[in-house]
Amino acid sequence: MRRILLLLSIVFVVFSCEEEETKITFSEKKITTAQNKIVEINIPIAKGNETVANNINSSIEAAVINSINFDPDAPSKKQSISESIDSFNSEYTAFKTDFPESAMEWEAQIDGEIMYQSEAVISVALTTYSNTGGAHGNLIISFLNFDALTGQSLKNDQLFNDTKSFKSIANTYFNEKIAGKEEFYFEPENFVLPQNIGFNDTGVVLLYNNYEIAPYVTGLTEFTIPFDELVPYLNFM
């Protein structure tokens, strides 16, 4: 009996260790360089199953690089985040050389957070603020969704098994959100889903960035649809 209990204990420990190794966890990482003076980046880094974590981290890294890139060919050059930070600083140095009389100081800040994590799906939000001149800075929030089992990025239409029904429900919530403020939106009667759809602890989040459906002064438009109303239409929970 003692041998059996001992064997069971060993098996339990082994399986527990394997589960810990495959579970995806996140820690925050600040990224900068020796040259950097104007860029601040704080993003979540996935750890655990190597393949899954690498897929997630690669997608987050690509989104960060894209957020501060000036060179449209940069993605093909496979820049790192550090190289992109230095490129941003170099662009500012060149700007100051060409326009020494300008008092404008450039800046960029990117912050990432885990919106939602389950055994099926992981949602990450990246908030990017940059200012390279103009009347005001530019604030953009991006949602990144991942299959928790593979780490592969998920497109919005992969989140639902019935996009048409989901859109109909979302339209109702959108109309409630902008009720009394319709005049501030571009063609509110022609509803379109936002580029950013993600998950939080209470439901599915829809977010429209500045200029996406309204002028800059209107700001971001965001609302959440409770899971209870969407269970029949969700591919991931």
Side-chain angles (χ1 to χ4, degrees):
M1 179 61 74
R2 289 182 179 179
R3 289 183 177 181
I4 294 175
L5 291 175
L6 179 59
L7 287 173
L8 289 175
S9 298
I10 293 174
V11 170
F12 175 77
V13 170
V14 170
F15 276 103
S16 296
C17 291
E18 289 180 351
E19 183 178 352
E20 287 298 319
E21 290 176 357
T22 58
K23 182 180 180 181
I24 294 298
T25 60
F26 291 88
S27 61
E28 184 177 283
K29 182 177 182 180
K30 180 177 182 178
I31 303 175
T32 188
T33 68
Q35 176 185 331
N36 179 42
K37 296 180 180 179
I38 55 176
V39 179
E40 182 176 338
I41 297 178
N42 300 282
I43 57 172
I45 301 295
K47 299 179 180 180
N49 180 282
E50 185 175 359
T51 299
V52 177
N54 285 343
N55 287 336
I56 294 173
N57 291 333
S58 295
S59 294
I60 293 176
E61 180 176 351
V64 170
I65 292 171
N66 186 62
S67 296
I68 56 176
N69 262 343
F70 283 88
D71 185 354
D73 296 325
S76 64
K77 297 176 182 177
K78 296 183 179 180
Q79 275 190 319
S80 66
I81 292 180
S82 295
E83 289 171 331
S84 296
I85 290 174
D86 284 344
S87 293
F88 190 92
N89 279 266
S90 296
E91 289 288 342
Y92 174 61
T93 299
F95 168 78
K96 292 297 289 184
T97 300
D98 293 338
F99 304 97
E101 72 285 354
S102 175
M104 174 60 67
E105 295 187 3
W106 290 13
E107 63 177 320
Q109 180 171 347
I110 302 175
D111 294 301
E113 65 172 328
I114 306 303
M115 299 171 57
Y116 180 79
Q117 182 174 3
S118 71
E119 294 181 355
V121 65
I122 297 171
S123 289
V124 177
L126 290 180
T127 301
T128 302
Y129 175 81
S130 61
N131 192 347
T132 57
H136 49 72
N138 192 25
L139 176 68
I140 297 177
I141 297 177
S142 303
F143 292 166
L144 307 177
N145 297 302
F146 302 98
D147 184 324
L149 297 179
T150 66
Q152 295 294 331
S153 296
L154 296 171
K155 296 180 180 180
N156 287 344
D157 59 4
Q158 293 178 282
L159 303 177
F160 310 100
N161 58 52
D162 187 347
T163 303
K164 183 177 180 180
S165 294
F166 169 72
K167 182 178 180 180
S168 177
I169 294 172
N171 192 4
T172 299
Y173 275 80
F174 174 77
N175 289 335
E176 292 176 358
K177 178 69 177 181
I178 70 168
K181 299 177 290 185
E182 290 86 353
E183 69 273 15
F184 297 110
Y185 288 82
F186 308 139
E187 301 182 0
E189 68 281 1
N190 295 323
F191 176 74
V192 293
L193 291 171
Q195 297 178 12
N196 288 307
I197 300 176
F199 298 84
N200 65 18
D201 288 337
T202 60
V204 176
V205 186
L206 291 84
L207 182 144
Y208 298 86
N209 276 301
N210 295 323
Y211 299 117
E212 192 172 348
I213 57 170
Y216 180 84
V217 294
T218 304
L220 305 175
T221 299
E222 180 181 5
F223 56 91
T224 301
I225 305 175
F227 282 127
D228 290 347
E229 295 196 37
L230 298 175
V231 169
Y233 316 114
L234 292 175
N235 285 330
F236 300 89
M237 279 292 291

